[in-house]
Amino acid sequence: MVRSLLLSALALALPACGGGGGGGGVVAPASAPLGAPRFAYVADQSGNSLSIFTVDPASGVLAPAGIAPAGEAPSFVVAAPSGRFLYVAHRDSGSVSAFSIDAETGALNQLGAPAAAGDAPQSLAVDPTGRFLYAASSDSGGVSRFTIDPATGELESAGVTAAGLNPLGVALDPSGRFLYAANAGSSNISIFAVDQATGDLAPL
């Protein structure tokens, strides 16, 4: 039987990379192409869950690997560049949850309590260094900022920057120097410079 799902977002998790200084990451299997995603996660708002898939590194084919509880109405999901952490926006509760990703199975473990993210967070973006997370909060008209603990993946609120009316999407350029928020209510795009040390946003 096929179950009807309200699928709102999908994220691909890259293999976690082993690093110097005793980093906790793991090296991707030699058979996997460099940078190929290991796992995919799909937010199911109606089921309050995340569907987990493994990704075949050669063909890209997805294989079901389980379902994880995600809290109330998950509306968006994004993986950290390291592939070690996953972040989920909850539109109805105005929050963001953090999860660690099991490097072998893709299973998820929630990290602490959800963090407040304004009213109706609709979209998330993680900067290329994995140090900052941004959430576009539609009903409050702002972009919430968070710092990410590099060791644990946990979030710490770093403030809110005003955008336009009803921002529904947020994206960073590949360098991480600029952030863009698409405002549905005001039919425009807010552009910000990203402070590379703090993650703070300055309107341009």
Side-chain angles (χ1 to χ4, degrees):
M1 180 178 68
V2 177
R3 185 163 60 97
S4 176
L5 304 176
L6 177 57
L7 303 180
S8 60
L10 179 147
L12 295 174
L14 298 174
C17 297
V26 297
V27 178
S31 58
L34 183 63
R38 292 278 307 280
F39 310 109
Y41 300 88
V42 180
D44 175 10
Q45 290 191 57
S46 60
N48 296 329
S49 64
L50 296 173
S51 296
I52 306 170
F53 300 85
T54 58
V55 183
D56 185 288
S59 67
V61 171
L62 303 179
I67 296 176
E72 183 181 4
S75 54
F76 198 90
V77 59
V78 66
S82 67
R84 297 175 57 205
F85 308 113
L86 191 80
Y87 300 97
V88 179
H90 306 278
R91 174 183 166 80
D92 292 352
S93 60
S95 62
V96 177
S97 296
F99 297 83
S100 62
I101 298 174
D102 185 287
E104 296 299 324
T105 66
L108 300 174
N109 181 53
Q110 187 164 347
L111 304 171
D119 296 331
Q122 295 273 23
S123 177
L124 302 173
V126 180
D127 86 300
T129 69
R131 295 178 298 154
F132 310 117
L133 174 76
Y134 301 91
S137 300
S138 173
D139 291 358
S140 53
V143 177
S144 298
R145 309 186 310 278
F146 302 87
T147 57
I148 299 174
D149 186 304
T152 67
E154 293 185 1
L155 300 173
E156 182 175 349
S157 179
V160 180
T161 301
L165 184 62
N166 301 125
L168 295 183
V170 63
L172 287 150
D173 83 306
S175 72
R177 296 172 54 218
F178 304 104
L179 181 139
Y180 303 88
N183 306 305
S186 50
S187 299
N188 62 359
I189 298 173
S190 299
I191 306 173
F192 304 92
V194 180
D195 187 300
Q196 298 298 286
T198 66
D200 289 349
L201 301 177
L204 296 175

